[in-house]
Amino acid sequence: LNDMDTQIPVNQDLVKAGLKADFTAQLAQLKSELDSKSSNDQTRFEAIKAMGKLVKDVCFLAPKMLSLLLKARKGSNGQIGFAAARALGELAKAAPNQKTLEALLKAVEDSHNRVRQAAASALVELARTNPRLAPKTLEALLKAAGDSEPYVRQAAACALGELAEAVPSLTPKTLK
């Protein structure tokens, strides 16, 4: 009998509590990296990317992450804003709610084209997981499809195609 064959009883509540504490500690570390005056843009960028990956595993942290991502996006450069918009896309899968939608709607109108591009791509995730938010998503994507930057227009066009597949009943006529 080797170690792999041995069954050890595990208290699932303790495991869940341990994982929650571990994820909460990870989020606290990422928050400290974002808040630190000594953190450079690359460190902040990596912290935001890590949040996007972390939210996939632990949606109970979504409200805290949304708050941190919004704070990180304010007054940020294009790279930080881009990472935050992508992380918002991951958050949209875990917490497809009005607050996440509002954050993405602001991001799709950001002054940095990469942020608008990432936000346009992320918006479809919201509608896919919460079809009630699809009309506002469609409205924003139609606007983004007329953006001055070709990459934003391309992202919006792709997202519109995905949205049409995800919510076939939604058309521009349903907005009126």
Side-chain angles (χ1 to χ4, degrees):
L1 193 71
N2 66 34
D3 289 340
M4 296 301 283
D5 295 331
T6 306
Q7 297 268 334
I8 300 172
V10 176
N11 181 329
Q12 292 300 316
D13 291 335
L14 287 177
V15 170
K16 288 177 188 173
L19 288 175
K20 185 173 182 176
D22 184 47
F23 286 128
T24 303
Q26 286 180 43
L27 184 60
Q29 174 64 35
L30 293 171
K31 179 186 183 317
S32 124
E33 289 175 16
L34 284 174
D35 291 345
S36 173
K37 300 282 188 223
S38 63
S39 289
N40 61 27
D41 283 347
Q42 187 61 35
T43 301
R44 293 178 70 219
F45 177 77
E46 293 300 329
I48 292 167
K49 277 180 41 181
M51 269 191 254
K53 291 177 184 171
L54 184 62
V55 77
K56 291 177 188 176
D57 298 322
V58 286
C59 56
F60 70 88
L61 291 174
K64 288 181 183 178
M65 284 189 185
L66 178 60
S67 173
L68 289 173
L69 290 171
L70 291 176
K71 184 178 175 183
R73 224 179 62 70
K74 284 185 182 173
S76 66
N77 65 28
Q79 182 184 20
I80 301 295
F82 172 74
R86 289 190 56 162
L88 282 169
E90 294 301 326
L91 187 62
K93 294 175 192 173
N97 58 42
Q98 188 66 33
K99 288 183 179 182
T100 308
L101 173 65
E102 289 167 10
L104 284 169
L105 291 176
K106 287 180 183 174
V108 85
E109 294 182 353
D110 195 272
S111 62
H112 297 284
N113 63 342
R114 291 191 64 209
V115 175
R116 294 193 310 273
Q117 176 188 5
S121 297
L123 274 167
V124 74
E125 296 302 335
L126 206 57
R128 190 178 277 146
T129 51
N130 187 343
R132 290 178 304 158
L133 300 176
K136 290 235 186 230
T137 300
L138 176 61
E139 226 173 280
L141 289 173
L142 288 171
K143 186 176 178 182
D147 195 278
S148 61
E149 292 292 328
Y151 294 114
V152 177
R153 290 193 306 268
Q154 181 182 15
C158 289
L160 283 166
E162 291 177 39
L163 184 61
E165 287 179 17
V167 189
S169 62
L170 188 65
T171 66
K173 289 181 182 179
T174 61
L175 295 176
K176 295 177 182 166

